[in-house]
Amino acid sequence: MSQRPGAGVEVFPEWRDKPLDQVLYECRELLEDEEYPTVKRWREAGGKVLGHFQVHFPEEIAHAAGFLPFKIRGAPVDAVHADSRFGSYLCSILKTSLEIALSGAVELDMFVTHPICDAARNLAGVFGRNFEYPCQILYLPQNANSRHATSYLRDEYDRLKQTVEDVAGTSVSDDDIRGSLEVFNENRRLLRELYATKRDTPWAISADEAYVLVAVGGMIPREEHNELLKAVLPAIADRPARRQDKLRVVYEGGFCEQPPLDLIRSIGRSCYVVDDDLLIGLRWILEDVPTDGDPLLNLATAYLESSSYSPVQHDLRKPKEKMLLERIRAADAQAAIITAAKMCEPGLEEQVAYIQALEREEIPYFVSEFEENMTGFDGLEIQLETFLENILFD
């Protein structure tokens, strides 16, 4: 892979040569820093930034062109500038994602969204009216079961690649993409190991700690994220933590807008979150993507054939309620927490199917909603603790 501007620049050195607890603290600080210092450091070194909205995006294409793929996932900020660009009854993540760009907190060179819902599809147009850089929609297959879906998506990835090349001012070869596939394959393996630890020994890594380790991957080059994960995973395995008498639960509903970190921490105080769909786009592909043959075709095939599930992908082979039950069984969970972001139409619709499936299987469940800007969790925490205690002492 040829050298690109920004390549080799370390944008998150704060974690190095520190004990595990301090590393986790630095990750949390980065995640909550409204100035996005890693993006600024990347740009100061001459690198370009491609911002991509939830849920899944083929970051390898941007990475191969030398971009920093930056995951646009909203922010716990007030939409001071962005509020006037939207209607009232929309989820918060749309407004705050635009806000961090309008406020100058994040400077992009390209923006990509997806038609995961009506509001997200229109986000490219809203960005395009406010910024001069390319703002595109990546049209993922609406019918994942069509025999043409893979070839269609491969061509859509190629269309995206051409725009990426124009903005980067360089061509992207198949070998460039293969090199990026190797980096991201390693990242996916490390994330699977993190989640295996979370599932098998949840007392060694709390829900919020695992979350920040995943989330920083959308803010730094994947090479750096790989180094970070390779350093912390052995430290987590050696952590002197004792098992507590807590229920094992699966958390479902964090596929797009993200719950506040303090809410995740509050949930983790009451139970072991042994699996979840938080930031599932960063963990969407479940196996290594082959590096031989056509890399764009391999990426398209992996998206459709070797992937997780969410309410925004319509695949008859992966009914959401069936996939949730499989997630619960694979994690040996005793209950489920079913959530949805306020005003999230896909998430709220799936809750009905989830609840019906859980009731059929007689799996206890707790239903709630959240918003990324919420700050008070006392009432929800009391309700959750009551729910969990009823199961423990039933």
Side-chain angles (χ1 to χ4, degrees):
M1 186 183 302
S2 57
Q3 190 78 358
R4 305 288 196 239
V9 175
E10 187 174 36
V11 301
F12 183 40
E14 287 84 357
W15 68 272
R16 291 194 180 276
D17 302 319
K18 293 180 179 177
L20 177 60
D21 288 346
Q22 189 65 28
V23 172
L24 294 168
Y25 170 80
E26 295 295 346
C27 290
R28 188 178 297 113
E29 288 291 293
L30 173 60
L31 191 62
E32 296 183 324
D33 193 330
E34 297 177 7
E35 297 300 319
Y36 299 92
T38 56
V39 178
K40 288 180 169 59
R41 290 169 187 166
W42 180 265
R43 294 192 64 86
E44 288 168 359
K48 295 187 176 182
V49 181
L50 186 151
H52 58 93
F53 191 65
Q54 302 274 44
V55 172
H56 172 75
F57 177 78
E59 293 177 294
E60 290 90 339
I61 297 172
H63 178 273
F67 280 89
L68 173 66
F70 175 69
K71 190 159 192 63
I72 303 287
R73 51 176 176 77
V77 299
D78 293 328
V80 177
H81 303 88
D83 200 47
S84 62
R85 272 78 170 184
F86 295 97
S88 300
Y89 299 102
L90 291 173
C91 55
S92 176
I93 186 175
L94 296 168
K95 300 177 183 180
T96 58
S97 293
L98 180 63
E99 179 66 26
I100 62 174
L102 289 174
S103 67
V106 171
E107 185 178 351
L108 304 177
D109 296 280
M110 183 174 172
F111 173 75
V112 181
T113 187
H114 318 277
I116 59 175
C117 66
D118 289 341
R121 182 184 64 235
N122 292 326
L123 196 56
V126 177
F127 262 80
R129 287 194 296 271
N130 288 276
F131 299 100
E132 294 183 357
Y133 49 73
C135 302
Q136 289 204 356
I137 302 172
L138 176 62
Y139 289 97
L140 301 170
Q142 292 298 301
N143 181 5
N145 305 120
S146 168
R147 62 189 178 92
H148 302 292
T150 303
S151 60
Y152 161 81
L153 183 56
R154 188 263 173 219
D155 291 344
E156 184 68 0
Y157 282 172
D158 188 55
R159 180 188 65 80
L160 172 71
K161 181 175 78 77
Q162 292 174 35
T163 305
V164 166
E165 289 174 325
D166 291 342
V167 178
T170 187
S171 61
V172 176
S173 69
D174 284 354
D175 283 341
D176 288 332
I177 301 176
R178 292 186 186 106
S180 294
L181 282 173
E182 292 177 355
V183 172
F184 280 78
N185 281 341
E186 181 179 24
N187 189 251
R188 285 184 278 265
R189 288 193 294 270
L190 292 166
L191 289 176
R192 289 197 296 270
E193 184 179 344
L194 173 63
Y195 263 69
T197 300
K198 178 177 174 176
R199 181 190 64 238
D200 298 339
T201 56
W203 48 89
I205 179 84
S206 66
D208 60 295
E209 290 171 340
Y211 180 82
V212 298
L213 287 173
V214 175
V216 296
M219 308 173 72
I220 63 178
R222 275 308 191 287
E223 293 87 344
E224 278 193 57
H225 195 220
N226 289 347
E227 288 187 62
L228 170 64
L229 292 174
K230 284 188 285 188
V232 301
L233 285 170
I236 293 170
D238 294 336
R239 207 175 195 181
R242 292 184 177 181
R243 181 174 184 171
Q244 298 179 340
D245 189 20
K246 292 182 178 180
L247 251 68
R248 298 170 60 91
V249 306
V250 161
Y251 180 98
E252 191 83 8
F255 63 93
C256 186
E257 184 171 327
Q258 297 299 291
L261 184 58
D262 284 341
L263 176 57
I264 299 173
R265 186 183 297 114
S266 296
I267 293 172
R269 283 198 292 261
S270 302
C271 56
Y272 288 134
V273 180
V274 290
D275 203 355
D276 58 63
D277 67 342
L278 296 166
L279 292 171
I280 193 65
L282 293 175
R283 302 179 288 116
W284 182 258
I285 296 176
L286 303 176
E287 301 172 355
D288 284 1
V289 180
T291 55
D292 58 335
D294 182 348
L296 293 181
L297 182 62
N298 293 343
L299 270 174
T301 302
Y303 171 80
L304 292 164
E305 305 296 336
S306 306
S307 55
S308 186
Y309 69 97
S310 87
V312 297
Q313 188 198 46
H314 308 291
D315 189 333
L316 296 176
R317 300 168 299 177
K318 297 189 289 186
K320 312 305 181 299
E321 59 273 26
K322 175 185 175 184
M323 301 304 293
L324 172 60
L325 293 176
E326 289 183 4
R327 172 171 280 165
I328 291 170
R329 289 165 183 150
D332 194 24
Q334 299 159 283
I337 298 175
I338 308 299
T339 67
K342 292 182 179 179
M343 308 291 182
C344 177
E345 187 175 340
L348 290 168
E349 284 183 350
E350 289 299 335
Q351 276 193 347
V352 177
Y354 288 154
I355 290 170
Q356 290 177 345
L358 293 168
E359 288 183 346
R360 282 196 303 269
E361 298 297 321
E362 298 183 344
I363 297 173
Y365 62 89
F366 179 84
V367 179
S368 69
E369 65 178 8
F370 67 86
E371 191 171 32
E372 60 185 358
N373 287 320
M374 66 188 295
T375 56
F377 316 112
D378 291 345
L380 189 150
E381 194 167 3
I382 291 171
Q383 293 172 27
L384 178 60
E385 288 176 354
T386 302
F387 164 74
L388 295 169
E389 287 174 0
N390 286 337
I391 299 173
L392 279 171
F393 302 113
D394 187 9

